[in-house]
């Protein structure tokens, strides 16, 4: 079985190599490390001061301190840096990651006479396809550009791929799935010249196309279903953006409209109802641009440190991330590198950066910044008056609940006040029950204590196995001689903490009154454990503590005054009525909207506490010039969106055309797809890049027209065969003399396995994620939804950023935190071990075996079964040699028994093979 060896057998042949410094490493340093060093380190460790002999301003002055640096900033030893205060956990993690990578420090290119002009910023030209000698090879103008360079280099293109290889390539390419048996038969039977063109049209018309190509875009948009980082809160409606992207590709939404909707869809008028993918309940046609609002998830769904206590920094970190995904994703420029200083490599100034920041700072991304954990903004998908009625009713319900809580809290305070003077007595009585065996009820009656309260004290103070409670250590070490004194000390401690808590509540109530008077958002009620740093107090007075109210309402009622009981009954009735008459919750989206206009200043060294010059809202000067029309109203996002998709914009069409080429061929014409600056890899075929960009715009920014032009070219239809001469002359295939063999991405691997055994669920849209907010740090609920729990396509599997599924990490999915340049393609042992040992792969092999043995189209001929397995998994028929070898391995197959197990093993071998995992 040639070319079908399990990939684990190849690892012994692979040399280990250190990774070269990549554009991603440069971006990481420029966006995270250089600003961190500048703000926190250079005041002491500059070329002038060199405190302790350390200069952190350049690689030449950077000593090999590595792990010592990480320990110092982590405050893990005697040396604690910076001395002004510990860095945030994220900053420490970034430094640790940088050191782990070998502390790469990009070298600034030498220049003389100013910055050289960037080729990528020149106007898009309209070159004519060059003349070539081998005109018979040309099926598309694309081929003339490719062939001209090949002929100039003395090389010839590879022969065309055979029909089955081409069909498998195109089907995976456009749909992310293997060709089905009928599709294989039909294509083999169609010998007409337009057979492949019909295949392309069929694939582009399939809803599977949007799922595959929508996933490509979701990489650019760094899509995930949670915030990641510290709290990893769910984005409850992120799936709407994912479904919008899939639908946009399936509808062939013009790319210029696609871009505009993602930047400013909430500011665009809705299209006609008949043109929309579906009307949301509660929406009146023509009034709400539902799709446009959902599309702004592009800006909303990035990683967020929502528990960051430096709220200005948190806000501008979000803005920085929005600038980054917009500039790198749409323009191929690393504008975010200019946050703390003028860009080290490209003609982007810090003022350019903050001019864009002004646009996003005037955009609302958070509902509420204040509080320990900030609240993300959710955009309603119904008319304003419908949502306003819902919000008003929710507020009435919440206010009524607050009234109920206030009555209960007042009674709780009175209850605790009645018990507090006897705290020492309860502490002294409890051990007599759990240690001496005294009867609880009799003891309570003799000492005039509440039996129910004493029972709670017994449960609280009784030592438990592996119980480590430092705040009770003094009590646990007491003796009969000093127990009374220690109990009184605990009582005094409790009373002092009570006073501290009551004073804070009084201050909070005054703040609420002031906020409401000034029409501001009132502050959240403080939490006891954040105000009173005494665990004994918080455990006794709140929750299930001994002095807290009983949990059951019937037990509470007997403790309340008659007046409070009457008041609670009336309030509860009103609350129940409000719940009954509540309007339905309107559909929402994770998006953005217009915020208060911000007059932005440059932040010196990126520090929000150090404002510098004021900057107007504008676009980068190197692209839009010095004389730009002023943005006088609103955030400026609509103006930004329109500017991005101007037909003559030098970057927008080029960058997207290059990404499409990359997703088809495995590499772009520009091999640094998200960095077109000074450090960019120049295009292999600049004239072809401009030709495609021009045709893209002229076609109405049609993605499907671009696909057809590329797939129907001879360049796309080449085989992956090469020769020693070509391998030597063009080892990286920059001349495109052959098709690049490509490893399937993880979505294709999983979906193809499910498709092969017929278990793939092709239901589209919706969400598999449930719940709101976050979960405990060690809770299993923080894990992403397991791909093994569903048969849906992988694009629909929810992604929790802090805990991506193991399968995705294993096959180079990425981290979903930054805009993607393209997936890596590693070949490592854990991948082979997964293919050999995972339950998921074993189940697919078992399912395929059942399919081969029974059901419609099953064959009783073992050779036919072997042939069908090859077609389903590898997209081709086996050779005679492979059939003979497989039959010898499988033996005679019966409906059950050892031979069936061998057939299943054979299917498992094919699933684990290189030929299954790679596309030629």
């Amino acid at each position: 079985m040639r070319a079908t060896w399990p990939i684990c057998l190849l690892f012994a042949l692979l040399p280990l190599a250190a990774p070269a410094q990549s554009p991603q490493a440069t971006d990481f340093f420029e966006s995270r490390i250089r600003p961190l060093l500048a703000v926190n380190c250079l005041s002491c460790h500059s070329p002038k001061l060199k405190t302790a002999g350390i200069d952190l301003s350049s690689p030449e002055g950077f000593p090999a301190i590595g792990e010592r640096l990480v320990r110092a900033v982590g405050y893990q030893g005697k040396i604690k840096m910076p001395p002004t205060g510990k860095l945030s956990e994220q900053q420490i993690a970034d430094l640790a990651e940088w050191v782990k990578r070998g502390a790469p420090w990009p070298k600034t290119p030498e220049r003389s006479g100013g910055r050289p002009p960037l080729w990528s910023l020149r106007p898009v030209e309209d070159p004519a396809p060059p003349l070539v000698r081998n005109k018979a090879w040309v099926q598309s103008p694309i081929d003339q550009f490719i062939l001209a360079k090949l002929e100039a280099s003395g090389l010839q293109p590879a022969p065309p791929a055979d029909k089955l290889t081409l069909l498998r390539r195109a089907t995976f390419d456009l749909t992310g799935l293997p060709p089905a048996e009928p599709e294989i038969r039909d294509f083999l039977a169609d010998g007409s010249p337009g057979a492949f063109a019909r295949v392309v049209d069929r694939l582009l018309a399939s809803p599977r196309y949007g799922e595959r190509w929508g996933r490509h875009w979701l990489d650019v948009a760094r899509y995930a279903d949670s915030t990641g980082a510290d709290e990893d809160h769910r984005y409850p409606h992120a799936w709407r953006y994912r479904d919008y992207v899939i639908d946009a590709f399936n509808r062939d939404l013009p790319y210029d409209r696609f871009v505009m909707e993602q930047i400013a869809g909430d500011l665009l008028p809705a299209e006609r109802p008949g043109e929309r993918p579906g009307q949301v309940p509660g929406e009146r046609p023509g009034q709400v641009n539902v799709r446009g609002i959902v599309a702004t998830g592009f800006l909303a769904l990035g990683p967020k440190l929502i528990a960051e206590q430096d709220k200005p920094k948190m806000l501008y970190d979000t803005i920085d991330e929005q600038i980054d995904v917009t500039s790198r994703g749409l323009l191929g420029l690393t504008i975010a590198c200019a946050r703390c200083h003028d860009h080290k490599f490209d003609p982007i100034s810090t003022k350019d950066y903050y001019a864009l920041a002004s646009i996003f700072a005037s955009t609302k991304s958070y509902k509420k910044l204040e509080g320990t954990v900030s609240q993300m903004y959710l955009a309603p998908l119904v008319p304003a008056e419908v949502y306003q009625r819902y919000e008003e009713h929710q507020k009435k319900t919440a206010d009524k609940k607050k009234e109920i809580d206030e009555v209960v809290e007042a009674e709780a305070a009175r209850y605790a006040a009645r018990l507090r003077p006897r705290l020492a007595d309860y502490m002294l009585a409890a051990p007599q029950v759990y240690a001496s065996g005294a009867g609880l009820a009799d003891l309570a009656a003799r000492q005039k204590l509440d039996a129910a309260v004493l029972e709670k004290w017994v449960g609280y103070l009784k030592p438990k196995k592996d119980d480590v409670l430092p705040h009770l250590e003094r009590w646990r070490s007491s003796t009969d001689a000093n127990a009374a004194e220690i109990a009184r000390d605990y009582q005094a401690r409790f009373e002092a903490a009570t006073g501290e808590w009551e004073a804070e509540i009084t201050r909070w109530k005054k703040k609420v009154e002031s906020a409401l008077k000034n029409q501001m958002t009132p502050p959240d009620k403080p939490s006891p454990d954040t105000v009173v740093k005494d665990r004994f107090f918080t455990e006794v007075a709140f929750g299930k503590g001994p002095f807290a109210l009983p949990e059951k309402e019937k037990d509470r009622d007997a403790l309340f005054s008659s007046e409070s009981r009457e008041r609670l009954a009336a309030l509860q009735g009103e609350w129940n009525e409000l719940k009954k008459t509540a309007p339905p919750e309107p559909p929402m989206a994770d998006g953005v909207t217009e915020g208060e206009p911000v007059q932005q200043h440059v932040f010196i060294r990126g520090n929000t506490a150090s404002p510098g010059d004021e900057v107007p809202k504008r676009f980068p000067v190197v692209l839009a010039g010095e004389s730009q029309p002023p943005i006088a109203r609103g955030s400026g996002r609509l103006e930004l969106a329109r500017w991005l998709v101007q037909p003559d914009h030098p970057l927008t069409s080029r960058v997207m055309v290059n990404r499409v080429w990359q997703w088809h061929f495995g590499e772009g014409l520009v091999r640094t797809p998200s960095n077109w600056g000074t450090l960019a890899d120049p295009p292999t075929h600049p004239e072809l890049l401009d030709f495609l960009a021009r045709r893209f715009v002229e076609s109405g920014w049609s993605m499907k027209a671009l696909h057809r032009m590329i797939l129907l070219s001879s360049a796309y239809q080449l085989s992956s065969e090469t020769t020693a001469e070509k391998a030597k002359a063009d080892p990286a295939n920059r001349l495109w003399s052959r098709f690049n063999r490509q490893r399937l991405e993880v979505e294709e691997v999983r979906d193809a396995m499910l498709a092969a055994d017929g278990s793939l669920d092709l239901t589209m849209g919706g969400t598999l994620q449930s719940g709101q907010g976050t979960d405990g740090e060690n809770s299993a609920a923080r894990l992403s939804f397991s791909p093994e729990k569903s048969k849906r396509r992988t694009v629909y599997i929810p992604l929790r950023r802090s805990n991506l599924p193991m399968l995705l990490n294993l096959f180079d999915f990425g981290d979903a935190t930054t805009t993607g340049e393209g997936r890596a393609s590693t070949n490592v042992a854990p991948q082979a071990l997964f293919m050999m040992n995972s339950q998921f792969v074993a189940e697919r092999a078992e399912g395929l075996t059942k399919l081969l043995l029974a059901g419609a189209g099953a064959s009783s001929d073992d050779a036919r079964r072997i042939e069908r397995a090859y077609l389903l998994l590898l997209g081709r028929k086996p050779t005679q040699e492979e059939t003979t070898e497989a039959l010898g391995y499988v033996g005679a197959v019966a409906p059950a028994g050892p031979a069936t197990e061998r057939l299943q093993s054979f299917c498992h071998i094919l699933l684990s093979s290189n030929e299954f995992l790679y596309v030629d």
Side-chain angles (χ1 to χ4, degrees):
M1 291 177 282
R2 60 171 176 80
T4 60
W5 301 343
I7 58 176
C8 62
L9 300 181
L10 301 179
F11 289 117
L13 306 177
L14 297 177
L16 297 176
Q21 186 167 315
S22 64
Q24 290 91 335
T26 299
D27 292 342
F28 183 81
F29 177 83
E30 293 297 338
S31 62
R32 300 199 188 181
I33 303 304
R34 194 191 291 273
L36 188 157
L37 297 176
V39 171
N40 299 283
C41 307
L42 294 189
S43 58
C44 297
H45 301 289
S46 64
K48 289 184 178 179
L49 293 178
K50 282 193 179 181
T51 303
I54 297 174
D55 173 14
L56 295 178
S57 66
S58 68
E60 290 76 20
F62 187 77
I65 58 175
E67 294 301 326
R68 284 189 290 145
L69 172 65
V70 176
R71 285 197 299 273
V73 299
Y75 280 36
Q76 296 172 354
K78 291 182 179 179
I79 300 175
K80 295 177 172 61
M81 291 292 160
T84 52
K86 189 177 179 181
L87 300 177
S88 71
E89 292 302 318
Q90 186 62 49
Q91 289 173 316
I92 294 170
D94 287 343
L95 271 174
E97 175 64 22
W98 179 56
V99 171
K100 181 181 175 183
R101 295 181 182 187
W105 197 308
K107 185 178 179 181
T108 305
E110 295 182 5
R111 299 191 184 95
S112 58
R115 298 179 186 272
L118 291 175
W119 63 265
S120 57
L121 304 185
R122 297 171 189 154
V124 178
E125 298 180 357
D126 191 9
L131 297 175
V132 294
R133 293 191 293 274
N134 186 7
K135 294 183 176 62
W137 188 77
V138 174
Q139 296 189 74
S140 159
I142 291 172
D143 298 329
Q144 292 174 252
F145 291 96
I146 298 295
L147 187 57
K149 284 210 169 188
L150 285 173
E151 290 180 341
S153 301
L155 297 177
Q156 293 296 318
D162 65 77
K163 290 191 75 169
L164 287 180
T165 297
L166 185 59
L167 178 64
R168 188 171 190 261
R169 177 190 301 171
T171 308
F172 267 116
D173 190 355
L174 291 180
T175 70
L177 293 170
E181 288 178 280
E183 296 166 353
I184 294 173
R185 286 197 301 268
D186 291 347
F187 187 49
L188 287 176
D190 189 348
S192 64
F196 184 61
R198 283 188 286 277
V199 167
V200 171
D201 287 340
R202 172 177 58 78
L203 296 173
L204 289 173
S206 167
R208 313 284 80 82
Y209 158 74
E211 291 170 332
R212 176 61 189 141
W213 279 76
R215 180 62 260 182
H216 282 314
W217 183 259
L218 293 174
D219 279 4
V220 175
R222 65 5 185 164
Y223 172 84
D225 293 86
S226 72
T227 61
D230 48 4
E231 292 287 314
D232 202 29
H233 276 241
R234 296 170 181 85
Y235 282 123
H237 312 290
W239 60 273
R240 293 189 192 276
Y241 173 74
R242 179 207 61 210
D243 288 356
Y244 156 82
V245 170
I246 291 171
D247 178 74
F249 276 90
N250 275 333
R251 295 169 70 238
D252 199 18
L253 183 69
Y255 182 68
D256 59 341
R257 176 78 185 190
F258 185 57
V259 168
M260 289 187 67
E261 287 181 345
Q262 291 177 93
I263 300 299
D266 57 311
L267 305 176
L268 296 170
E271 293 183 352
R272 293 191 299 275
E275 295 178 346
R276 289 185 296 183
Q279 192 170 314
V280 175
E283 177 195 359
R284 291 207 290 271
Q287 189 166 0
V288 176
N289 184 3
V290 170
R291 195 178 75 223
I293 294 170
V294 170
T296 63
F298 177 78
L299 296 175
L301 293 173
K304 290 185 175 69
L305 284 159
I306 58 177
E308 167 68 64
Q309 295 309 292
D310 184 342
K311 297 304 178 181
K313 178 182 182 299
M314 183 198 75
L315 176 62
Y316 277 89
D317 283 348
T318 298
I319 291 166
D320 179 74
E321 197 275 331
Q322 291 170 336
I323 291 173
D324 188 54
V325 73
T326 301
S327 63
R328 288 208 290 148
L330 303 178
L331 300 176
L333 292 179
T334 56
I335 293 177
C337 291
R339 181 178 184 178
C340 304
H341 47 72
D342 288 349
H343 201 295
K344 292 294 181 182
F345 311 115
D346 302 338
I348 304 292
S349 68
T350 307
K351 287 188 175 181
D352 286 329
Y353 173 91
Y354 283 99
L356 284 177
S358 179
I359 294 173
F360 294 111
S362 303
T363 299
K364 187 173 184 177
S365 297
Y366 290 93
K367 179 180 180 180
K368 186 178 179 183
L369 282 172
E370 303 85 3
T372 303
V373 178
S374 299
Q375 296 179 21
M376 295 171 289
Y377 172 73
L378 298 178
L381 300 177
V382 293
E385 61 272 18
V386 174
Y387 185 68
Q388 186 176 354
R389 285 197 298 272
Y390 171 79
E391 281 280 272
E392 288 171 353
H393 197 281
Q394 289 294 103
K395 186 177 185 305
K396 286 180 184 176
T397 306
D399 288 346
K400 194 62 63 180
K401 185 66 169 63
K402 280 183 184 177
E403 289 185 67
I404 293 171
D405 291 342
E406 285 170 3
V407 173
V408 172
E409 286 170 7
E411 285 291 346
R414 282 193 288 272
Y415 176 66
R418 290 199 301 270
L419 296 172
R420 191 164 61 238
R422 301 291 306 277
L423 183 144
D425 296 332
Y426 279 106
M427 291 187 73
L428 291 167
Q432 296 179 48
V433 177
Y434 68 74
S436 305
L440 187 147
D442 291 341
L443 180 63
R446 285 199 307 274
Q447 298 193 18
K448 297 182 180 180
L449 300 173
D450 185 307
V453 175
L454 178 57
E455 185 176 8
K456 291 168 77 173
W457 273 104
V458 169
Y460 178 62
L461 293 177
K462 184 178 180 180
K464 302 169 186 67
K465 187 179 180 182
D466 300 326
D467 190 359
V468 180
L469 299 173
H471 53 289
L472 291 179
E473 185 177 347
R474 185 163 178 252
W475 169 252
R476 297 252 169 97
S477 63
S478 64
T479 64
D480 291 341
N482 65 4
E485 179 187 353
I486 292 175
R488 286 193 296 272
D489 288 346
Y490 271 90
Q491 178 161 341
R493 171 178 167 182
F494 186 86
E495 289 175 348
T498 300
E500 187 180 347
W501 170 243
E502 289 176 347
E504 178 62 26
I505 289 297
T506 301
R507 286 192 290 271
W508 169 71
K509 288 179 178 178
K510 289 181 179 178
K511 290 177 184 177
V512 170
E513 290 175 8
S514 175
L516 293 174
K517 183 178 179 181
N518 294 299
Q519 297 183 330
M520 297 173 66
T521 303
D524 292 334
K525 184 177 180 179
S527 172
D529 53 5
T530 60
V531 174
V532 182
K533 306 301 183 183
D534 187 334
R535 190 172 166 187
F536 176 74
F537 167 74
T538 56
E539 287 185 351
V540 169
F542 298 94
K544 298 180 181 180
F547 281 0
L549 283 172
E551 291 183 88
K552 295 180 180 177
E553 287 188 19
K554 63 182 181 63
D555 296 332
R556 291 180 175 187
D557 287 347
L559 303 174
F560 290 0
S561 67
S562 58
E563 181 184 352
S564 291
R565 285 198 297 272
E566 290 175 11
R567 176 72 177 139
L568 277 173
L571 289 172
Q572 191 68 45
E574 293 170 12
W575 186 77
N576 290 338
E577 186 60 29
L578 284 169
K579 292 289 283 182
K580 247 192 291 184
T581 58
E585 182 179 358
M588 308 290 284
D590 290 286
V592 301
T593 190
E594 292 291 86
E596 292 296 322
V598 170
Q599 188 56 59
Q600 186 67 50
H601 291 253
V602 169
F603 292 144
I604 298 170
R605 289 185 174 178
N607 187 345
T608 56
S610 300
D613 294 341
E614 188 177 292
V615 290
K617 294 180 174 68
R618 70 177 189 195
F619 315 130
V621 170
V622 71
L623 284 164
E626 290 282 0
S627 302
Q628 301 180 33
I631 299 173
R633 293 186 303 169
S635 66
R637 279 185 297 119
L638 185 57
E639 290 82 352
L640 173 61
R642 287 171 174 158
W643 173 73
L644 285 168
V645 297
Q646 288 177 341
D648 61 349
H649 198 292
L651 288 171
T652 309
S653 60
R654 275 176 172 153
V655 167
M656 190 55 189
V657 160
N658 185 65
R659 291 194 190 279
V660 172
W661 186 277
Q662 174 195 10
W663 292 329
H664 279 305
F665 288 89
E667 293 279 7
L669 295 167
V670 177
R671 300 197 173 191
T672 51
S674 296
N675 185 352
W676 290 40
T678 303
L679 299 181
D681 190 38
T684 60
H685 294 67
E687 296 83 5
L688 174 57
L689 181 65
D690 280 10
F691 176 85
L692 290 173
R694 281 277 189 163
R695 302 293 86 75
F696 184 41
V697 174
E698 289 172 1
S699 72
W701 301 80
S702 168
M703 293 291 295
K704 291 188 176 182
L706 183 58
H707 288 308
R708 289 188 186 94
M709 182 183 294
I710 291 174
L711 267 72
L712 297 181
S713 69
S714 292
Y716 180 83
Q717 298 174 35
L718 290 173
S719 74
S720 59
E721 295 177 17
T722 189
T723 64
E725 178 192 10
K726 289 178 186 175
K728 183 178 180 181
D730 185 21
N733 197 25
R734 296 179 66 87
L735 296 177
W736 310 101
S737 65
R738 61 188 182 278
F739 194 82
N740 286 329
R741 174 176 292 176
Q742 298 175 51
R743 217 271 313 279
L744 295 179
E745 293 182 356
V746 63
E747 295 91 343
E748 296 171 292
V749 172
R750 178 181 174 275
D751 294 352
M753 288 185 183
L754 290 167
D757 73 355
S759 60
L760 182 63
D761 180 355
L762 293 176
T763 302
M764 295 184 70
T767 181
L768 297 172
Q769 179 169 264
S770 60
Q772 299 269 345
T774 190
D775 310 282
E777 287 187 26
N778 298 315
S779 168
R782 271 220 183 181
L783 300 175
S784 281
F785 184 95
S786 172
E788 297 183 9
K789 291 182 179 179
S790 175
K791 300 297 193 298
R792 296 281 301 276
R793 290 201 71 175
T794 311
V795 70
Y796 297 114
I797 301 299
L799 304 171
R800 294 290 290 273
R801 270 195 175 99
S802 289
N803 289 282
L804 293 175
M806 180 272 291
L807 174 63
L808 272 58
N809 287 326
L810 191 58
F811 285 93
D812 307 309
F813 177 80
D815 62 5
T817 60
T818 58
T819 179
E821 286 207 305
R823 302 274 182 90
S825 184
T826 61
N827 190 14
V828 294
Q831 296 166 353
L833 294 173
F834 174 85
M835 300 301 290
M836 293 171 64
N837 300 314
S838 92
Q839 182 64 29
F840 177 78
V841 180
E843 288 173 358
R844 304 287 69 76
E846 181 181 7
L848 180 56
T849 301
K850 291 177 180 177
L851 187 70
L852 296 174
L853 288 173
S859 170
S860 60
D861 184 318
D862 292 343
R864 178 67 183 93
R865 289 191 183 106
I866 300 299
E867 179 181 296
R868 192 175 181 209
Y870 266 80
L871 280 172
L872 287 169
L873 296 180
L874 307 184
R876 67 173 178 86
K877 295 181 179 180
T879 65
Q880 183 59 51
E881 180 185 354
E882 288 170 328
T883 301
T884 302
E885 192 175 348
L887 287 172
Y889 180 80
V890 170
V893 177
T900 301
E901 293 177 6
R902 289 196 293 272
L903 179 60
Q904 183 173 327
S905 175
F906 169 75
C907 292
H908 199 152
I909 289 171
L910 291 186
L911 284 167
S912 302
S913 68
N914 271 344
E915 192 168 351
F916 175 76
L917 293 172
Y918 283 80
V919 170
D920 280 322

